[in-house]
Amino acid sequence: QVQLVESGGGLVQAGGSLRLSCAASGSIFSINAMGWYRQAPGKQRDLVAAIISGGSTNYADSVKGRFTISRDNAKNAVYLQMNSLKPEDTAVYYCNVLARARKRDNVRNYWGQGTQVTVSS
């Protein structure tokens, strides 16, 4: 099994910055992609940013130019640097990893427990 531990959420004023971290541990044969999703109250969980094993990245239009996703393959970690935060960025942010726990396993989605990000106006 793959376990994900997130950190870095909190309360920040509009225009401020936060950095989220997520470390994967446990039985990991390979990681195909790592990313961040967010879910605001009453809304669905949406992709914020993702990075695949080759280094290509994908961002939601609403965060382009403000958020940067990066990955440390040696640590099986993914980071989300969030700048110029807006009140509409307020949500629970979830780390997501697409990984294979063992060589013979299928690729699966794994989720972190979520970390709250609150941006005050």
Side-chain angles (χ1 to χ4, degrees):
Q1 283 286 34
V2 177
Q3 292 85 42
L4 303 178
V5 177
E6 302 153 343
S7 61
L11 173 64
V12 65
Q13 288 188 332
S17 298
L18 284 174
R19 186 174 187 251
L20 305 183
S21 300
C22 173
S25 63
S27 175
I28 303 172
F29 175 75
S30 63
I31 295 178
N32 292 35
M34 306 182 83
W36 293 92
Y37 286 70
R38 67 185 180 188
Q39 188 168 21
K43 296 188 177 181
Q44 65 181 20
R45 189 176 298 188
D46 291 325
L47 175 70
V48 177
I51 183 167
I52 65 172
S53 57
S56 297
T57 58
N58 183 36
Y59 294 92
D61 287 342
S62 59
V63 307
K64 285 180 180 177
R66 300 187 298 121
F67 291 10
T68 302
I69 190 169
S70 60
R71 177 175 171 177
D72 186 333
N73 290 329
K75 296 181 179 179
N76 287 330
V78 63
Y79 309 97
L80 186 67
Q81 178 66 43
M82 305 185 293
N83 299 328
S84 302
L85 283 160
K86 304 175 180 179
E88 51 263 43
D89 295 318
T90 295
V92 177
Y93 284 70
Y94 296 91
C95 177
N96 172 263
V97 170
L98 193 63
R100 194 188 305 269
R102 296 171 297 182
K103 185 177 181 179
R104 64 177 181 269
D105 289 339
N106 293 326
V107 175
R108 281 187 53 191
N109 258 318
Y110 294 91
W111 293 94
Q113 78 282 1
T115 184
Q116 177 70 45
V117 171
T118 303
V119 184
S120 63
S121 57

